[in-house]
């Protein structure tokens, strides 16, 4: 289905995994990072963990050496998003995201605020990525509930191009849309894909999934994986099995 990509060694594959810390207690999050950090460096902090623990969770995880993708999907007027982008940049996150449907002014405001705040702190600018269309949407819902008449794929592509034109580093999208985005947005544009399921794991509530290997071949830059790792009896063994699938 997809073109062949350069094969990866274990370390290159591990650098493409972002483990979703979808837990509520900070001790659970820290335990996962302590357990997995010899293998994986990048972790996603979503709404639940952030709201339960507050911003201290970011410092706590960074103190364990974790890189942080803060997945709070900002979507508001440009001024509000810009000032929030400034705050999360000061926290030292490595990546955060916004909703592309916030429009070009909002996207540019977020990117510029992150760049300015990082320069002021003398730290690298976090990667800013945009959410295209949530994978819980299908074309019928998109049309009937949000009034978007285009096909879902065309809408995802238009939003990805909007993000690219306004300075985003990449997008969050279903792995099934990665190949199309990669073709139109070029090799440098990041594609972060949730909805990845190893061959041996259950689908949970994810419907439109690809395996880690297929997601990479479709052009994904990072694979966000939660339950197959964090709910496994041995999260470390789960990561090792995923790495084997990615490198073979
Ligand atoms: O457990 P699982 O591997 O399905 O976790 C995927 C993570 O990616 C979850 O934190 C989920 O909220 C997030 N996500 C997603 N689909 C999107 C956007 C984010 O599954 N479209």
């Amino acid at each position: 289905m997809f073109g062949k990509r350069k094969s990866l060694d274990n370390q290159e594959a591990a650098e493409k995994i972002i483990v979703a810390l979808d837990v509520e207690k900070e001790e659970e999050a820290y335990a996962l990072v302590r357990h997995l950090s010899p293998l994986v460096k990048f972790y996603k902090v979503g709404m639940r963990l952030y709201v339960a623990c507050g911003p201290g969770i970011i410092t706590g995880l960074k103190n364990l050496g974790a890189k942080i993708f803060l997945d709070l999907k900002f979507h508001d007027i440009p001024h509000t998003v810009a000032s929030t982008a400034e705050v999360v940049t000061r926290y030292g996150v490595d990546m955060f995201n916004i909703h592309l449907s916030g429009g070009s002014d909002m996207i540019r405001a977020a990117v510029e605020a992150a760049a300015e705040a990082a320069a002021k702190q003398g730290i690298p600018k976090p990667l800013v990525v945009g959410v295209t269309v949530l994978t819980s949407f299908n074309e019928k819902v998109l049309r009937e509930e949000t009034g978007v008449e285009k096909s879902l794929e065309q809408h995802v592509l238009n939003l990805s191009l909007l993000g690219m034109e306004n300075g985003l580093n990449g997008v969050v999208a279903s792995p099934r849309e990665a190949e199309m985005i990669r073709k139109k947005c070029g090799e440098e544009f990041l594609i972060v894909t949730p909805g990845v399921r190893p061959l041996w794991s259950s689908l949970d509530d994810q419907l439109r999934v690809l395996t880690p290997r297929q997601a990479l071949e479709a052009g994904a830059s990072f694979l966000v994986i939660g339950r197959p790792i964090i709910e496994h009896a041995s999260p470390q063994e789960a990561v090792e099995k995923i790495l084997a699938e990615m490198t073979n």
Side-chain angles (χ1 to χ4, degrees):
M1 157 164 66
F2 306 113
K4 249 257 79 26
R5 297 209 156 237
K6 164 181 158 304
S7 59
L8 301 174
D9 65 29
N10 230 48
Q11 192 183 335
E12 288 167 327
E15 283 169 6
K16 288 180 175 287
I17 295 180
I18 302 178
V19 176
L21 294 174
D22 290 334
V23 294
E24 200 171 309
K25 298 201 166 60
E26 60 184 5
E27 270 319 316
E28 286 177 79
Y30 297 153
L32 278 164
V33 172
R34 279 194 205 99
H35 197 60
L36 293 175
S37 61
L39 291 169
V40 179
K41 302 289 175 227
F42 223 141
Y43 295 86
K44 182 170 88 69
V45 174
M47 272 192 269
R48 179 180 173 208
L49 183 62
Y50 187 83
V51 170
C53 300
I57 189 72
I58 295 172
T59 321
L61 291 167
K62 280 172 64 73
N63 287 343
L64 295 177
K67 289 174 75 175
I68 308 293
F69 168 22
L70 186 61
D71 175 22
L72 298 181
K73 301 186 181 69
F74 301 134
H75 188 181
D76 209 313
I77 57 171
H79 179 264
T80 304
V81 170
S83 43
T84 309
E86 189 189 326
V87 176
V88 300
T89 300
R90 284 204 308 264
Y91 290 162
V93 303
D94 298 276
M95 184 191 288
F96 72 89
N97 58 5
I98 61 177
H99 266 289
L100 287 161
S101 49
S104 59
D105 285 351
M106 191 202 83
I107 298 169
R108 270 199 316 281
V111 172
E112 285 164 13
E116 277 169 31
K120 235 186 241 170
Q121 300 274 304
I123 55 174
K125 183 187 87 55
L127 298 168
V128 189
V129 294
V131 177
T132 54
V133 177
L134 294 172
T135 42
S136 49
F137 272 67
N138 60 26
E139 206 154 292
K140 184 169 180 285
V141 175
L142 192 69
R143 188 175 55 249
E144 292 177 2
E145 297 184 13
T146 69
V148 174
E149 295 292 340
K150 291 184 196 76
S151 71
L152 195 147
E153 258 106 45
Q154 192 57 51
H155 192 49
V156 166
L157 197 54
N158 290 351
L159 288 170
S160 301
L161 290 167
L162 182 76
M164 191 167 79
E165 283 155 13
N166 288 285
L168 279 192
N169 297 100
V171 288
V172 183
S174 155
R176 300 210 170 236
E177 285 138 20
E179 192 177 26
M180 164 186 84
I181 297 169
R182 178 62 67 223
K183 270 198 192 125
K184 295 284 181 189
C185 297
E187 287 298 315
E188 299 302 308
F189 202 56
L190 298 177
I191 305 175
V192 181
T193 61
V196 175
R197 284 293 175 271
L199 292 168
W200 42 267
S201 74
S202 78
L203 292 182
D204 302 307
D205 56 355
Q206 296 283 17
L207 295 178
R208 302 179 64 231
V209 304
L210 290 183
T211 66
R213 178 66 182 245
Q214 288 170 329
L216 287 179
E217 287 178 354
S221 319
F222 290 104
L223 315 180
V224 174
I225 310 177
R227 285 161 291 182
I229 296 173
I230 68 171
E231 290 181 1
H232 195 280
S234 164
Q236 192 168 353
E237 188 190 315
V239 171
E240 278 162 2
K241 287 201 286 186
I242 290 168
L243 289 174
E245 275 187 43
M246 290 167 77
T247 51
N248 279 328

